[in-house]
């Protein structure tokens, strides 16, 4: 995990531009910083590294022949690719080096062989190539300066430095200066109605296997990987499966991390889950004053003033800070709501499986500048790598093949296997029912900012910051976030223009 900057055909002979850009990304990679040029190539690259795989010799930029690469993220099938490509051609133990050698094979579909979360820029003497993982888990921005191009991991790298046409590279996209932008990956369409003869137990069993494989894959690292644990269904499933991976490998208990205000439902539920699955559990209790003190930090790193996103980013920052004191990487539960119909507004689709399937597909494609941006920025602000097993490409393909009717179902509120008249994530709960206490498996969902107690504490924090009394209305809250953002950036309009937003409790189109 890291941050990087690349300049292509931009004059920076004294290195002041790239140094200024890279200095703003140091939080993404405190272990090593390096700037490099390649003779005969009009590119200069800078990289700040958080070492997770290949810690001893995985410094970047990475060179091979007349090509040079900077990358951010993890390639989980790098060992398989290394064996196929030939271990003798590799100079480092870094998983990122596989990107460079795959490109050098000349295969037209080389990028589709990468399995993981990643963003990278690759330079040759006559072209520059940039690409992003299927869901946009890892960020990548592109801008122009004169006739040249620039790339960076966060928007703040461009702020006030004379760049134009700044935009995010779309998820699953590849930019080639020779051929332009193309979409190398598309989220598969979701299935709607279940066939009458469908064996639901079999589907649930297959889903369980897919989840187990995804968690095991996304735990591969040369450092210890922990897990966020809010006490909700998604993070609890991930933590339970990760604990099994560690136990089966003869390792010590998984480290789990929960945050919330004193007495919050998330802290209580997380404590129960941790005790049930046997993890080494850590907690942090935050106050309204903690929120007030950290709100400018949250908004600066989040690169957004969207009220819903800021609210959910606050506990994420505290969780990341807690986890970073113990590990360098964590698993999170992001993606389960989009794959298995976990949001409140999804209940409106209970009798419209085709519309629900289409909405889930749409929301998957919209995660990159909402929830995934929150998780990336808040964890990277604390130099922590976040991993999202629910967004494993093979798991996405299988989950999208599951009929939407099995994800959201009408249920009898009186029975155990229900969260109300309609039950969200029904099949996911069924597939993992044996992992957790029954009442937690069928616990009604609470948003992270609600279950952690953030909403009430935030009201107090807003009163501290504004000097107001009573309830701070949503309009004033949003205005305050924009004011804070404007104070932190030289070109706040550029930042705000790139931000995603939530409308009516759903990701905007």
């Amino acid at each position: 995990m890291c941050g990087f900057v690349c300049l292509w055909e931009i004059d920076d002979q004294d290195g002041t531009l790239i140094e200024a850009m890279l200095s703003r990304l140091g939080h993404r990679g405190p272990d090593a910083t390096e700037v490099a040029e390649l003779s005969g190539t009009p590119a200069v690259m800078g990289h700040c590294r958080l070492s997770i795989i290949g810690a001893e010799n995985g410094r970047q930029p990475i060179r091979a022949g007349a090509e040079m690469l900077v990358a951010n993220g993890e390639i989980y099938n790098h060992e398989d690719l290394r064996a196929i490509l030939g271990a003798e051609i590799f100079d480092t133990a870094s998983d990122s080096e596989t990107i460079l050698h795959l490109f050098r094979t000349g295969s037209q579909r080389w990028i589709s062989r990468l399995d993981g979360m990643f963003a990278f820029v690759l330079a040759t003497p006559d072209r520059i190539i940039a690409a992003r993982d299927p869901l946009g888990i890892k960020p990548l921005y592109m801008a122009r300066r004169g006739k040249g191009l620039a790339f960076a991991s966060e928007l703040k790298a461009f702020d006030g430095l004379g760049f134009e046409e700044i935009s995010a590279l779309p998820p699953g996209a590849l930019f080639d200066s020779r051929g332009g932008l193309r979409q190398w990956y598309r989220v598969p369409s979701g299935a709607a109605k279940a066939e009458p003869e469908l064996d639901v137990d079999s589907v649930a069993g297959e889903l369980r296997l897919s989840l187990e494989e995804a968690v095991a894959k996304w735990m591969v690292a040369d450092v210890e990987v922990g897990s966020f644990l809010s006490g909700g269904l998604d993070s609890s499933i991930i933590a339970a499966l990760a604990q099994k991976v560690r136990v089966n490998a003869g390792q010590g208990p998984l480290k789990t991390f929960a945050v919330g205000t004193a007495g919050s439902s998330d802290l209580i539920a997380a404590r129960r889950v941790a005790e049930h699955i046997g993890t080494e559990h850590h907690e942090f209790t935050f106050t309204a004053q903690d929120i007030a003190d950290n709100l400018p930090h949250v908004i600066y790193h989040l690169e957004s003033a969207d009220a819903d996103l800021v609210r959910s980013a606050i506990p994420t920052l505290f969780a990341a800070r807690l986890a970073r004191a113990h590990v360098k990487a964590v698993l999170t539960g992001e993606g389960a709501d989009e794959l298995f119909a976990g949001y409140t507004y999804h209940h409106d689709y209970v009798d419209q499986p085709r519309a629900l399937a289409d909405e889930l597909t749409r929301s998957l494609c919209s995660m990159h500048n909402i929830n995934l941006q929150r998780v990336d920025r808040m964890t990277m602000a604390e130099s922590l790598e976040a991993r999202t097993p629910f967004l494993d490409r093979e798991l996405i393909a299988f989950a999208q093949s599951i009929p939407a009717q099995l994800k959201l179902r009408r249920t009898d509120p009186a029975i155990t296997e229900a969260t109300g008249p309609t039950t969200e994530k029904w099949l996911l709960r069924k597939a993992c029912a044996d992992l957790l206490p029954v009442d937690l498996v069928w616990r009604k969902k609470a948003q992270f900012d609600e279950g952690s107690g953030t909403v009430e504490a935030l009201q107090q924090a807003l009163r501290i910051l504004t000097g107001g009394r009573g309830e701070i209305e949503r309009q004033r809250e949003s205005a305050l976030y924009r004011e804070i953002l404007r104070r932190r950036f030289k070109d706040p309009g550029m930042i705000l223009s790139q931000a995603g937003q939530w409308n009516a409790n759903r990701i905007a189109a």
Side-chain angles (χ1 to χ4, degrees), residues 288-302 304 307 309-311 313-314 317-318 321 378 454 458 461-463 465-466 477 480-482 484-485 487-488:
Q289 188 62 57
D290 291 325
I291 295 175
D293 292 343
N294 284 276
L295 196 56
H297 181 75
V298 166
I299 291 172
Y300 173 72
H301 282 283
L302 183 62
S304 173
L309 204 58
V310 172
R311 286 183 173 192
I314 291 166
L317 175 75
F318 293 136
R321 190 170 291 167
M378 292 301 97
T454 302
L458 179 58
L462 293 174
R463 288 193 285 271
L465 292 169
T466 63
E477 177 188 350
L480 175 62
Y481 297 160
R482 290 193 296 272
I484 292 172
L485 187 145
R487 290 197 297 266
R488 296 301 304 268

Side-chain angles (χ1 to χ4, degrees), residues 154-168:
E154 294 184 15
L155 285 167
K156 58 180 63 68
F158 301 113
D159 184 39
L161 293 175
F163 290 98
E164 300 175 337
E165 298 180 36
I166 301 167
S167 62

Side-chain angles (χ1 to χ4, degrees), residues 298-341:
V298 166
I299 291 172
Y300 173 72
H301 282 283
L302 183 62
E303 300 184 330
S304 173
D306 179 75
D308 288 303
L309 204 58
V310 172
R311 286 183 173 192
S312 58
I314 291 166
T316 306
L317 175 75
F318 293 136
R321 190 170 291 167
L322 172 65
R324 189 61 179 89
H326 302 273
V327 296
K328 295 178 79 170
V330 291
L331 305 177
T332 82
E334 263 64 41
D337 289 326
E338 288 79 6
L339 283 173
F340 298 102

